[in-house]
Every structure is written in C-alpha cells, then in structure tokens.
C-alpha cells in the first residue's frame, strides 16, 4: 500500500480556459514571470473573440483540482500567436507544456490559422527546446526585450511554425 502511495503520479486533463480560471492563472503567471498579469487582464483578453486558451487540471487529486499549467493564444487573419504559457514548477518535466501547446496549435489551425508565432527569452533553454521539438524555428530576435529582476535585460527569440 505504501509503495502505491509513493509511486502515485498526478494525471491531468487539458480543457478550455474559463473566466473562472483567471485568478488561479494570474497566480501561476506571477510565480513564473517577473511581471504578473492580473486576473482582470486575463479576463479582458478572454472576452476577445480571437483569444482562446487551455488549462491543465489535475484529475486525481484528493481534495481539489490543482492547476498544472495554462496557455493563452490568439488567432486573427490567419496568424496565431502564443500570448503566454506557464507550467507549475512542481509539475514540470511531465509533458504538460507539450500537451498545452499541442492544444493551442490544434485550436489555432481549426480557427483558420496558417502560422503561429511566439516570443521566448533566449536564455530559457527548456522552453526553446520544447518549441523546437514542436516545429518552431527562430525567425528573429529582439535584443534587450525582457526586463528581469534588478533591471537586467535579455533577448527575446521570435519563433514561428506553419500550422497547415
């Protein structure tokens, strides 16, 4: 019985974001990025027809359904972009980023997107590696784009992939 408990792994379902998720998404965003987007900012984005997203919720938790991660995207006139994506640090390296990105890619294509763009901090090696595995290629750079703690500046990579 103890071995079953110790080998227990969380299971997640990926479902569309709802307005009710905004406070929890904002909290996770603040844990993963230097500037936290407020729940109001997420709500305003989700009220736009072109914006969509997904959350990964743990399905086998005992008392709640913890948020494992989320992705927020937009599609307009054949171009889609990832606005933000985050995975809870305690659920990292379990494929949640991959699953969330796959959901966003499928939805963007279903909405008529022909290509998808994203920006990622060049030093975020894990994210850059994930995006490359998903078929994204670097199409540009924005030097000193991000401001980190203490005012440090870092480069953003602009990446793109074809959806069709």
């Amino acid at each position: 019985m103890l071995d079953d408990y110790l080998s227990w792994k969380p299971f997640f379902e990926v479902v569309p974001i709802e307005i009710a998720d905004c406070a929890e998404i904002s909290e996770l965003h603040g844990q993963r990025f230097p500037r936290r987007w407020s729940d109001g900012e997420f709500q305003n984005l989700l009220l736009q027809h072109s914006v969509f997203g997904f959350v990964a919720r743990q399905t086998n938790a005992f008392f709640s359904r913890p948020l494992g991660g989320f992705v927020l995207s937009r599609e307009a006139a054949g171009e889609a972009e990832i606005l933000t994506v985050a995975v809870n640090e305690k659920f990292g390296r379990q494929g949640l980023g991959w699953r969330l990105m796959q959901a966003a890619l499928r939805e963007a294509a279903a909405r008529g997107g022909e290509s998808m763009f994203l920006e990622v901090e060049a030093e975020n090696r894990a994210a850059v590696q994930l995006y490359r595995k998903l078929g994204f290629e670097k199409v540009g750079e924005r030097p000193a784009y991000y401001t980190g703690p203490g005012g440090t500046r870092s480069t953003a990579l602009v990446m793109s992939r074809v959806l069709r």
Side-chain angles (χ1 to χ4, degrees), residues 43-110:
Q43 289 174 14
N44 288 336
L45 284 166
L46 287 170
L47 292 173
Q48 298 175 26
H49 177 68
S50 61
V51 175
F52 59 93
F54 298 89
V55 294
R57 288 225 174 260
Q58 188 175 347
T59 58
N60 63 338
F62 296 110
F63 300 109
S64 66
R65 295 189 44 168
L67 181 68
F70 71 91
V71 61
L72 193 66
S73 306
R74 173 180 13 228
E75 188 284 325
E79 286 191 356
E81 66 177 317
I82 299 295
L83 299 172
T84 186
V85 59
V87 172
N88 188 317
E89 194 169 33
K90 72 180 180 178
F91 299 123
R93 312 299 294 168
Q94 295 185 31
L96 289 181
W98 177 271
R99 291 178 60 199
L100 288 161
M101 287 295 296
Q102 287 286 356
L105 290 165
R106 281 192 302 273
E107 180 65 19

Side-chain angles (χ1 to χ4, degrees), residues 127-147:
V128 171
Q129 182 179 14
L130 170 65
Y131 301 143
R132 285 192 175 132
K133 284 182 182 178
L134 286 163
F136 284 86
E137 296 179 359
K138 178 182 150 189
V139 295
E141 285 187 16
R142 294 189 172 130
Y145 185 74
Y146 294 112
T147 303

